[in-house]
């Protein structure tokens, strides 16, 4: 069921002079991450990045650092995030013995393939700007495990992280003893987040699924607003090999009577999501129809966007993030917050424009086209699947004036690495393949074999150690001289990006 804002009429014909109608007219089966509404000049290039990212360093106090490492070690003994048993029975049991903390606050639940974390951060910033106390749960982390749980717009303090773990540990052990399998790493962290939000107490929780939807550990909440970012092919061994199959799993977060904020989707995925919404009597707002991006233009450090929300238009909103995909994430985030406040349903008026502008101007998304060094410029992006790589490639070409771009790629072995490399091939002059420290990392020589097939042998260099790969890429970028406009993009995995971030002096 779809509910239009009061000023819409489903029978209205598109006005050819209205730029918003360009969204509706676009092909519905386009790649959602690459859809661009062309606007403004391409000559204004960024000289600075987004606001400083809130990535915590290791605790300065040796005792706190030791205690945090002990917690991390204990968590590491559990099933990792890639080993799954499709059930919410264990997390439901944990919530039961904890007294159902996830029921003590309303929540916005976010699923999709790409853009979830950036969208969650934007939603958090908007809610905080309207003076609500937020709890945000996202994954994976870039550098510190404490990033995953955020209170009031900042990562939870290490001391509080440790305290929360110790508080729920007896209950975790109780559930472990009663279940066929122990709680996983992700399930324990989810329990910690829900408990921390209740203890704060949070006015609203912003929760990103770990994988999928129906059987994801986060899905013991009843999200008042369910957000579905663009769906693409990823984790196909677990979620299915088609957009429709993946959407079926992700539709599991849509609860009875909820409001669904749906980014532009492949047609078969959209059909699945809409059918689920009808089954549970949910209200749907669709990007390109009820809300969307009206206009966007490149600006210093990001972009200037005009968004159409459920309650009207929000002109000249500065977003300090690069790429058309981030503009679309912003439109989704704005609609989600409007829906949370009842805009388009209980009320017709838009949110306060100045507050919206202030919130978006303060958004940071670490590891998403993040500039971490100059001369030459080094950019980090956590793209790890073909859709994310295509979005990053499009955005870096738009936002940066690189005459020569060198790629540093370290990927996970369970990803569509060929598709990722093919997406970057048009923008990389040369590529340095490497591997991160994760046990999931693809061997550098194996990655090189695929890269040679995509790029040709003369454009591929192999450096198994990430520090050596960064040094080699920076050297290649500098070959044409100090003012040549060479740059480096480090990508392929969140882990690769996080480790490069540390090596380059961030965090």
């Amino acid at each position: 069921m779809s509910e239009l804002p009061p000023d819409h009429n489903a029978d209205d014909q598109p006005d050819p002079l209205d730029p918003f109608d360009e969204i509706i007219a676009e092909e519905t089966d386009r790649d959602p991450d690459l859809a661009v509404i062309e606007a403004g000049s391409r000559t204004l290039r960024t000289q600075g990045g987004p606001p400083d990212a809130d990535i915590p360093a290791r605790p300065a106090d040796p005792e706190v650092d030791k205690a945090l490492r002990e917690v991390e070690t204990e968590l590491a003994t559990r099933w990792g995030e890639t080993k799954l048993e499709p059930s919410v029975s264990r997390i439901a049991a944990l919530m039961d013995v904890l007294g159902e903390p996830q029921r003590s606050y309303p929540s916005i639940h976010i699923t999709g393939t790409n853009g979830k974390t950036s969208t969650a951060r934007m939603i958090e910033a908007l809610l905080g700007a309207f003076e609500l106390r937020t709890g945000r749960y996202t994954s994976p982390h870039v550098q510190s495990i404490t990033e995953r749980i955020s209170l009031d717009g900042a990562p939870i303090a290490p001391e509080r992280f440790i305290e929360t773990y110790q508080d729920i540990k007896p209950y975790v052990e109780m559930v472990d003893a009663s279940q066929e399998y122990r709680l996983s790493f992700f399930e324990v962290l989810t329990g910690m987040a829900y408990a921390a939000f209740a203890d704060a107490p949070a006015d609203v929780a912003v929760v990103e699924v770990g994988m999928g939807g129906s059987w994801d550990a986060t899905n013991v909440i009843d999200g008042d607003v369910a957000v579905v970012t663009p769906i693409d092919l990823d984790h196909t061994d677990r979620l299915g090999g088609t957009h429709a199959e993946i959407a079926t799993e992700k539709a599991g977060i849509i609860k009875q009577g909820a409001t669904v904020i749906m980014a532009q989707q492949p047609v078969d995925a959209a059909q699945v999501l809409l059918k689920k919404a009808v089954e549970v009597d949910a209200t749907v707002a669709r990007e390109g129809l009820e809300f969307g991006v009206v206009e966007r233009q490149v600006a210093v450090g990001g972009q200037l966007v005009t968004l159409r929300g459920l309650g009207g238009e929000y002109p000249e909103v500065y977003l300090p993030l690069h790429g058309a995909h981030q503009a679309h994430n912003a439109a989704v985030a704005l609609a989600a917050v409007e829906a949370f406040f009842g805009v388009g349903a209980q009320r017709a008026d838009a949110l306060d424009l100045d507050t919206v502008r202030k919130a978006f101007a303060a958004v940071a998304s670490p590891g998403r086209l993040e500039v971490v060094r100059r001369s030459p410029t080094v950019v980090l992006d956590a793209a790890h699947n073909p859709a994310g790589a295509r979005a990053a490639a499009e955005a870096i070409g738009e936002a940066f004036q690189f005459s020569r771009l060198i790629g540093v790629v370290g990927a996970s072995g369970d990803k569509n690495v060929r598709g990722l490399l093919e997406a970057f091939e048009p923008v990389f002059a040369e590529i340095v393949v490497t591997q991160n420290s994760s046990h999931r990392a693809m061997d550098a020589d194996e990655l090189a074999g695929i890269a040679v097939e995509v790029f040709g042998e003369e454009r591929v260099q192999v450096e198994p150690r990430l520090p050596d790969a960064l040094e080699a890429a920076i050297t290649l970028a500098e070959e044409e001289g100090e003012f040549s406009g060479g740059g480096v993009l480090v990508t392929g995995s969140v882990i690769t990006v996080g480790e490069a971030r540390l090596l380059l002096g961030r965090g």
Side-chain angles (χ1 to χ4, degrees):
M1 181 178 74
S2 176
E3 182 175 299
L4 296 174
D7 60 342
H8 283 65
N9 186 328
D11 296 324
D12 286 348
Q13 295 300 311
D15 178 355
L17 299 179
D18 184 356
F20 186 72
D21 291 327
E22 293 177 16
I23 304 171
I24 303 172
E26 291 188 19
E27 297 178 58
T28 57
D29 62 349
R30 66 179 183 164
D31 187 300
D33 275 326
L34 291 179
V36 178
I37 301 169
E38 294 294 345
S41 168
R42 298 293 179 88
T43 60
L44 183 59
R45 302 293 176 170
T46 178
Q47 297 300 317
D52 288 340
D54 53 348
I55 297 291
R58 296 298 309 183
D61 186 326
E63 291 302 314
V64 176
D65 187 51
K66 179 183 176 183
L68 180 59
R69 290 185 188 279
E70 289 173 355
V71 172
E72 291 170 326
T73 300
E74 288 187 25
L75 288 171
T77 65
R78 298 181 175 273
W79 274 2
E81 291 172 280
T82 58
K83 186 173 182 180
L84 305 168
E85 194 271 325
S87 167
V88 295
S89 59
R90 293 178 302 280
I91 187 67
L94 180 59
M95 292 297 99
D96 182 53
V97 297
L98 289 176
E100 305 290 346
Q102 82 282 14
R103 310 283 184 206
S104 63
Y105 38 78
S107 55
I108 297 175
H109 206 178
I110 306 167
T111 190
T113 301
N114 290 311
K116 297 187 296 294
T117 298
S118 292
T119 302
R121 285 176 167 273
M122 293 178 194
I123 291 172
E124 174 189 52
L126 283 163
L127 293 169
F130 284 100
E131 300 183 352
L132 290 181
R133 190 168 200 197
T134 57
R136 172 174 54 82
Y137 181 52
T138 54
S139 60
H141 57 274
V142 177
Q143 285 177 202
S144 170
I145 195 171
T146 60
E147 296 166 38
R148 296 181 179 229
I149 303 173
S150 176
L151 293 171
D152 291 325
I156 189 171
E159 295 87 350
R160 195 163 187 175
F161 185 92
I162 296 162
E163 181 183 355
T164 302
Y165 176 75
Q166 296 298 341
D167 284 346
I168 75 165
K169 183 178 177 179
Y171 302 97
V172 168
E173 293 172 345
M174 186 187 307
V175 173
D176 284 344
S178 67
Q179 298 288 320
E180 182 179 1
Y181 303 106
R182 296 171 71 214
L183 287 154
S184 70
F185 169 88
F186 187 73
E187 287 169 334
V188 175
L189 276 176
T190 301
M192 289 174 60
Y194 289 163
F197 297 162
D199 186 60
D203 296 319
V204 54
V206 182
V207 178
E208 173 190 339
V209 303
M211 185 187 300
S214 295
W215 44 259
D216 187 74
T218 63
N219 203 29
V220 289
I221 57 172
D222 292 324
D224 302 81
V225 178
V227 176
V228 187
T229 67
I231 289 174
D232 213 294
L233 301 181
D234 198 12
H235 301 296
T236 53
D237 56 330
R238 299 176 180 89
L239 304 180
T242 67
H243 292 119
E245 289 174 342
I246 293 172
T248 299
E249 174 58 33
K250 294 182 183 295
I253 75 163
I254 301 174
K255 304 299 173 59
Q256 186 73 34
T259 300
V260 183
I261 304 300
M262 194 169 78
Q264 290 186 329
Q265 303 290 350
V267 172
D268 52 348
Q271 289 172 339
V272 170
L273 296 169
L274 291 170
K275 181 181 178 182
K276 173 68 173 184
V278 169
E279 290 172 356
V280 298
D281 197 28
T283 300
V284 178
R286 300 153 294 179
E287 184 185 7
L289 293 174
E290 285 80 26
F291 69 93
V293 181
V294 175
E295 185 180 10
R296 57 179 296 271
Q297 52 189 319
V298 177
V300 174
Q303 55 193 305
L304 196 65
V305 298
T306 295
L307 304 175
R308 175 74 61 87
L310 305 180
E313 198 163 287
Y314 298 80
E316 298 184 346
V317 175
Y318 176 67
L319 181 66
L321 301 175
H322 303 294
H325 60 295
Q326 294 290 17
H328 288 282
N329 289 340
V332 170
L334 176 62
V337 173
E338 285 184 309
F340 181 79
F341 285 125
V343 175
Q346 290 87 13
R347 49 183 283 195
D349 55 312
L351 301 178
D352 179 72
L353 177 59
D354 288 341
T355 305
V356 169
R357 285 174 172 166
K358 179 181 177 182
F360 276 120
V363 168
S365 194
R368 277 72 180 178
L369 288 175
E370 179 187 11
V371 178
V372 293
R373 173 186 163 142
R374 296 290 183 185
S375 189
T377 298
V378 178
V379 184
L380 308 180
D381 192 84
H384 55 273
N385 56 43
R390 289 192 293 269
E394 174 80 15
I396 204 162
E398 174 187 79
F400 300 87
Q401 199 169 13
F402 292 132
S403 60
R404 175 181 170 84
L405 181 63
I406 310 300
V408 175
V409 179
S412 296
D414 57 350
K415 296 296 182 179
N416 180 359
V417 174
R418 180 179 295 276
L420 181 139
L421 294 177
E422 288 173 346
F424 281 123
E425 190 276 332
V427 298
F428 287 164
E430 296 183 55
I431 180 174
V432 182
V433 298
T434 188
Q435 63 191 74
N436 58 53
S437 63
S438 169
H439 68 279
R440 295 171 55 204
M442 177 175 281
D443 178 79
D445 289 331
E446 182 182 355
L447 179 56
I450 302 172
V452 166
E453 294 176 5
V454 174
F455 288 84
E457 188 172 356
E458 70 283 354
R459 295 168 63 193
V460 178
Q461 182 171 332
V462 185
E463 295 290 351
R465 295 181 65 253
L466 183 56
D468 296 337
L470 291 171
E471 183 178 351
I474 289 169
T475 300
L476 287 169
E478 291 175 331
E479 278 185 354
E480 295 180 5
E482 184 179 355
F483 303 106
S484 65
V488 175
L489 176 63
V490 183
T491 189
S493 163
V494 175
I495 297 170
T496 300
V497 163
E499 292 181 357
R501 204 172 186 278
L502 279 171
L503 288 167
L504 292 165
R506 295 295 183 98

